[in-house]
Amino acid sequence: MDISRRTLLGSATAVAAAAALPALPASAAGHDTALWDEFAARPFTHPQIPYVGRAGCRHRPRAADRGPVIDAVRDHGAVPDGSKDSAPALNRAIEAAGRRGGGVVALPPGTFRIDGIIRMGHDGVVLRGAGSGRTKLLATKHLTELIGPYGSRYGGDKSAWSWTGGLIWLCPTARWNSLIAAIRKKHWPYEGWTGNRRDEWRTLTTVRPARRGDWTVRVADPTRLRPGALVLLRLADDRGHTLLEHMAGGGPGPEAYHWDDKVKLTSYVPYEWPVRIVAIKGRTVTLERPLPLDVRPEWDPRFTTHVRALTGAGVEGLTIEAVETPQSPHLHDKGYNGITLQCTYDCWVRDVVARHVDNGLGITAGSACTISNTRVAGRGWHHAYYCREGAHDNLFEDFVIEQRTVPAPPGTMLHGINVENLSSYNVWSRGRMEMGTFDSHRGMPFANVRTDIVVNNTGRHGGDMRAGPLFGARFTHWNVRVTNGRADMVKIDGLALYSLTAGVSRVREFDQTDKPDFPGDLHSRLVAYGRPDSVRPRNLYEAQRRLRP
């Protein structure tokens, strides 16, 4: 067993805490299942490895397959030779499918010029090209031009188009309307699940105490709940910040951390977790996924209403390409962005290429979505993939970040696969990164997994110090091959509390060397270091999918 340089520091507290963790047999250093067997014995409550077997779009609604197929060219006048703006025609076709309760908007091979945003706000609507190598949407304008400047809630001249928004934008219509109204009034819109004001939610029932990993909870009043409904589990922090401490794993380190001046981080709570109800028996409610955190009375736990999520929508089989312009300086992106999923649940993107974009494909306050068989390519970008503002239980699989085609202009920044803002239980699986890094962008994301990835580790992570820690508890990196031997954000045993780094390449520090946010023993583990791909099963997410709850 390899041991983190920060474990077993010798204090009585550290020794007692370390003794409480399960030991790992030495045989796990080779092609062995010992670490997996340890997890499988307690999959929903393991101290370092999160259960992510339910991440991604699992209950895809069939409205699109049952609904009509609308030919965007024949029925609505889209032009596949790039000679005319086809955005109005595509939006008319999408709206027509939405009014019919869902369906497929079909695009034949060709190049469709779009001078505006493609808006998808109806459940069960799929925008389907003939394949990412055959159907192209060529975007000629950026979001600053189409909507207006979108600044930071903390002032300054930063552009929020540097981290959110898409030229193809999946978002429920009511949420979209409030966002655009707020942006045009130069107000910062809250981007999450409960609207522009955090008090616009309505309580359905309070929730009794429960533990992380439980699949059922007891509620005070089940009369406003129903099987199949999507509800929001809402946990508010208390004055002592014990909820934030719990997200970090608890113990002396988080208790000693100073939370009050982390104004960005504290703005991300209450923690909001969308989940479907599977069954109700008396006051016992069975959930689609196990609880991500403990439920304690001091956090005022309740099921609430939320902005109505967009469900069953997808984008497939096309390339979204922006006109090639130089990459903008860091945090001044104009918004040549690819695809954004916002306030979405059970939605997907597959077989898509984003080229010459400022930001590629991302999820803002979306949950249970899948982005698969995609790639980001072209002249260079800020974030290739991002997952932010309370995004939970999402899956990014079979993804590629290509090497940029032109040198990076001065003052630009490259991140890679981003996660931030209390986002939790997200997975990056089977990826090839020819550039970029594992960007944990502060805001204390927790319980995320990166597995079965090859990375040429050339990027840098970001994040404002006011957003707090880089990591919360239970980050897992499982079988990661680093082709250039650079350490940034891959080997995390010296940074992340209750984390696991297993089967990663031997790496070296470079100029961006981070210190842990929390003092004392991190209770992290380093296994099979320098032996990439040696931990079995090779892909942690796929193995967890096969576990039966």
Side-chain angles (χ1 to χ4, degrees), residues 390-544:
H392 313 296
D393 304 302
N394 299 295
L395 171 64
F396 298 76
E397 67 178 352
D398 297 311
F399 63 92
V400 176
I401 301 175
E402 293 189 358
Q403 185 61 251
R404 65 186 306 144
T405 55
V406 297
T412 59
M413 181 68 76
L414 163 68
H415 296 309
I417 53 175
N418 155 277
V419 61
E420 56 183 296
N421 310 147
L422 299 184
S423 295
S424 63
Y425 294 87
N426 300 291
V427 178
W428 290 261
S429 170
R430 291 200 309 265
R432 189 179 85 244
M433 300 171 59
E434 297 174 4
M435 58 187 291
T437 195
F438 287 8
D439 175 30
S440 294
H441 216 76
R442 297 198 178 272
M444 204 169 69
F446 65 93
N448 296 284
V449 168
R450 291 142 170 173
T451 182
D452 197 6
I453 297 172
V454 178
V455 53
N456 181 37
N457 200 9
T458 61
R460 298 170 68 92
H461 77 78
D464 191 322
M465 291 300 294
R466 293 173 297 176
L470 283 165
F471 302 95
R474 296 182 304 285
F475 247 84
T476 295
H477 290 173
W478 180 287
N479 282 338
V480 177
R481 183 177 294 276
V482 183
T483 61
N484 63 341
R486 212 173 77 165
D488 185 37
M489 294 288 106
V490 174
K491 181 178 178 290
I492 57 173
D493 60 292
L495 293 174
L497 272 166
Y498 293 94
S499 65
L500 173 69
T501 304
V504 304
S505 301
R506 192 165 293 276
V507 291
R508 62 185 184 278
E509 300 291 344
F510 76 115
D511 62 303
Q512 189 179 28
T513 303
D514 291 286
K515 296 179 180 179
D517 292 291
F518 300 101
D521 188 358
L522 298 181
H523 311 302
S524 61
R525 297 167 70 175
L526 180 65
V527 177
Y529 180 47
R531 295 185 291 277
D533 305 324
S534 64
V535 181
R536 291 294 180 268
R538 179 188 180 99
N539 189 293
L540 178 62
Y541 166 71
E542 292 174 356
Q544 288 196 19

Side-chain angles (χ1 to χ4, degrees), residues 150-153 159-166 169-172 175-176 178-180 182-183 187-198 267-268 272 307 337 340-344 363-366 386-391 420-421:
Y150 182 7
S152 167
R153 74 177 99 177
S159 168
W161 302 129
S162 299
W163 56 79
T164 194
W169 201 325
L170 286 73
C171 182
R175 191 74 189 91
W176 164 264
S178 64
L179 278 167
I180 299 308
I183 292 168
H187 296 163
W188 175 274
Y190 176 65
E191 296 172 323
W193 286 97
T194 47
N196 285 354
R197 290 173 49 193
R198 300 300 294 272
S267 75
Y268 302 141
E272 299 172 341
V307 172
N337 295 346
T340 284
L341 288 75
Q342 184 165 1
C343 293
T344 52
I363 299 174
T364 296
Y386 59 89
C387 195
R388 60 180 305 277
E389 202 78 23
E420 56 183 296
N421 310 147

Side-chain angles (χ1 to χ4, degrees), residues 227-240:
L230 183 66
V231 297
L232 203 65
L233 174 65
R234 190 177 192 269
L235 301 177
D237 204 8
D238 59 13
R239 298 180 70 176

Side-chain angles (χ1 to χ4, degrees), residues 280-297:
I280 302 171
K281 186 176 182 180
R283 294 186 179 183
T284 299
V285 177
T286 302
L287 304 175
E288 183 179 32
R289 292 174 175 80
L291 288 175
L293 295 165
D294 288 355
V295 173
R296 301 179 186 172

Side-chain angles (χ1 to χ4, degrees), residues 11 71 93-94 145 162 170 176-178 206 240 257 259 287 333 375 381 389 420 526 537 545:
S11 71
D71 189 312
I94 291 167
E145 184 177 3
S162 299
L170 286 73
W176 164 264
N177 291 339
S178 64
T206 55
Y257 186 79
W259 302 95
L287 304 175
D333 298 293
R375 65 178 58 220
W381 43 87
E389 202 78 23
E420 56 183 296
L526 180 65
R545 281 187 62 185

Side-chain angles (χ1 to χ4, degrees), residues 259-321:
W259 302 95
D260 286 329
D261 62 346
K262 307 304 186 294
V263 291
K264 283 191 175 181
L265 176 62
T266 54
S267 75
Y268 302 141
V269 289
Y271 176 78
E272 299 172 341
W273 183 63
V275 64
R276 286 201 191 280
I277 294 173
V278 174
I280 302 171
K281 186 176 182 180
R283 294 186 179 183
T284 299
V285 177
T286 302
L287 304 175
E288 183 179 32
R289 292 174 175 80
L291 288 175
L293 295 165
D294 288 355
V295 173
R296 301 179 186 172
E298 55 265 37
W299 302 331
D300 189 25
R302 54 190 63 219
F303 286 138
T304 75
T305 61
H306 50 84
V307 172
R308 188 179 182 278
L310 179 68
T311 63
V315 179
E316 305 176 348
L318 56 82
T319 289
I320 172 71
E321 179 175 318

